[in-house]
Amino acid sequence: MIERITGHTVLTGLLGSPVSHSISPLMHNESFQQLNLDYVYLAFDVGTENLKTAVEGLKVLGVRGFNCTMPDKNLICEYVDHLSPAAKLIGAANTVVNDNGILTAHNTDGVGYMQAVKDAGFDIIGKKMTLLGAGGAATAICAQAALDGVSAIDVYSIKDQFFDRAINLIDNINATTNCKASLYELPDDTSLRKSLQESAILTNGTSVGMSPNIDNSIINDSSMFHENLIVSDVIYNPAQTKLLKLAKEAGLNTFNGMYMLLYQGAEAFKLWTGQEMPIRIIKEKFFS
C-alpha cells in the first residue's frame, strides 16, 4: 500500500491492454515501500492506437520509466531513441528507461527467464536448448539465451504470424553471437525428437497448456525425453501444465514461468532505480 504521494514522487508504470489483471503494480509498489523509495507504479490501459501519444506524454511528464505488455511490445521500439542489444535482436521491448528525455527500450523477459533457470539450480551456458514457439516470450528467451552463451538453440514453431519474424531473429543470432540457432516448422516429431536428445533443456515458450486449455501440450510422448533433460514452461497458470506433468512423471526436473515473471520485473526495477528488488520479500508475498 502506498502511504504517501509527494511533490517529488517518481512515476513508473505499465502500458498495455488489458492491464487490470497485472501483478506488476503490486510487486513494484511493495518493493518501493520496502526500500523507502519515493516512487509509484501505475497501470495504464493503452493499446497500439494511442501508444505514440502516451509515450510522448509520459516523456513530457518526466516519468522515470515504464513496462510494456501486449499489444505494445513491438510498436514501442519505433517510439524510443535507443534499443538494448536484446531489444534490437528481438524487435520487441517490455521496459523503457527515461534518462533526461532519452528513451531506451530493453527486453527483460529473457533476462527473467535465464535468472529463473539459475534460481531453479541449473546451468545451461555452453549447452543446447530446444525452444517451442516464436512469439514474444519465446523470442525474448531465444535472444537472451544466445547473448548469455547457450551454445545452440533449436526453435520449433507453427507457421503463424510470428514465423517470418523468427527467421530474422535466427539470422541475427547467427550473425552476431556465437550461438548456433535453427528454426523448424511444427509438427516435425522426427527432428524434434533428435533435438531433445541433444539438449540440456526444453522450454515451452508458447501459450499451449495455459488455463483454461490445460489439457493441451505440444509434446505428448515422454519417450522423446532423455533422463537428464530439464523441462520448463513460461506458463504459470496452471502451476503444472500438461507438459510439466508429463516430464515430472518421467522423473525429470521441471519449473514453470512464475519466477520468470518475478525476475523480469526485478530487472526493470533495477534499471529504473539502480537498486535490487527485495526478491525474498516479493517472493513470499506474491509468489509463494
Side-chain angles (χ1 to χ4, degrees):
M1 178 180 172
I2 303 301
E3 293 183 346
R4 53 169 173 67
I5 300 290
T6 75
H8 301 283
T9 300
V10 177
L11 177 62
T12 60
L14 172 66
L15 304 183
S17 187
V19 291
S20 59
H21 66 286
S22 175
I23 194 174
S24 293
L26 294 173
M27 60 191 281
H28 283 289
N29 286 317
E30 180 67 29
S31 298
F32 296 147
Q33 189 160 313
Q34 289 291 333
L35 298 180
N36 198 31
L37 295 174
D38 193 2
Y39 281 64
V40 67
Y41 185 106
L42 300 174
F44 301 98
D45 197 302
V46 178
T48 53
E49 67 279 5
N50 293 315
L51 183 61
K52 184 178 182 181
T53 305
V55 171
E56 288 172 348
L58 291 173
K59 186 174 178 177
V60 169
L61 293 173
V63 65
R64 173 58 180 145
F66 52 91
N67 288 129
C68 278
T69 187
M70 297 306 290
D72 299 335
K73 287 187 174 185
N74 296 104
L75 187 59
I76 189 62
C77 293
E78 297 182 17
Y79 303 143
V80 299
D81 302 293
H82 302 294
L83 298 174
S84 73
K88 190 177 291 186
L89 263 182
I90 301 160
N94 74 329
T95 302
V96 174
V97 180
N98 180 9
D99 290 307
N100 300 312
I102 304 299
L103 301 185
T104 303
H106 301 258
N107 197 310
T108 69
D109 284 334
V111 174
Y113 176 80
M114 293 301 286
Q115 184 58 46
V117 174
K118 294 178 187 175
D119 191 82
F122 307 117
D123 179 10
I124 61 171
I125 304 306
K127 300 172 184 176
K128 182 172 181 175
M129 168 188 284
T130 300
L131 176 63
L132 305 178
T139 51
I141 291 168
C142 187
Q144 195 63 49
L147 290 169
D148 284 359
V150 169
S151 65
I153 306 171
D154 287 346
V155 179
Y156 287 82
S157 173
I158 59 172
K159 198 140 193 191
D160 59 9
Q161 70 269 31
F162 300 116
F163 198 84
D164 288 342
R165 200 174 74 203
I167 293 172
N168 292 331
L169 173 64
I170 296 300
D171 289 343
N172 286 338
I173 286 173
N174 287 326
T176 61
T177 76
N178 292 321
C179 178
K180 169 62 176 153
S182 305
L183 178 63
Y184 301 90
E185 186 180 350
L186 287 171
D188 185 352
D189 285 354
T190 302
S191 170
L192 180 56
R193 182 182 292 271
K194 181 176 183 294
S195 179
L196 288 171
Q197 292 303 312
E198 298 170 347
S199 292
I201 190 166
L202 163 65
T203 304
N204 176 40
T206 78
S207 60
V208 177
M210 183 184 291
S211 183
N213 303 309
I214 60 173
D215 294 326
N216 295 342
S217 175
I218 292 174
I219 296 174
N220 293 284
D221 179 4
S222 62
S223 74
M224 298 180 78
F225 303 149
H226 64 81
E227 62 181 1
N228 295 316
L229 184 69
I230 305 156
V231 179
S232 69
D233 206 316
V234 299
I235 294 168
Y236 53 87
N237 182 23
Q240 183 168 277
T241 59
K242 184 179 179 182
L243 173 66
L244 295 187
K245 185 178 180 184
L246 189 72
K248 190 159 278 189
E249 288 172 350
L252 305 185
N253 289 311
T254 66
F255 64 95
N256 68 16
M258 185 65 79
Y259 288 160
M260 174 181 168
L261 177 66
L262 169 64
Y263 287 116
Q264 65 80 25
E267 182 67 14
F269 184 90
K270 186 175 181 180
L271 287 168
W272 297 326
T273 68
Q275 298 195 37
E276 300 288 344
M277 179 180 276
I279 292 290
R280 183 183 59 80
I281 293 170
I282 300 304
K283 264 187 181 180
E284 288 174 0
K285 290 204 75 162
F286 304 114
F287 293 87
S288 60

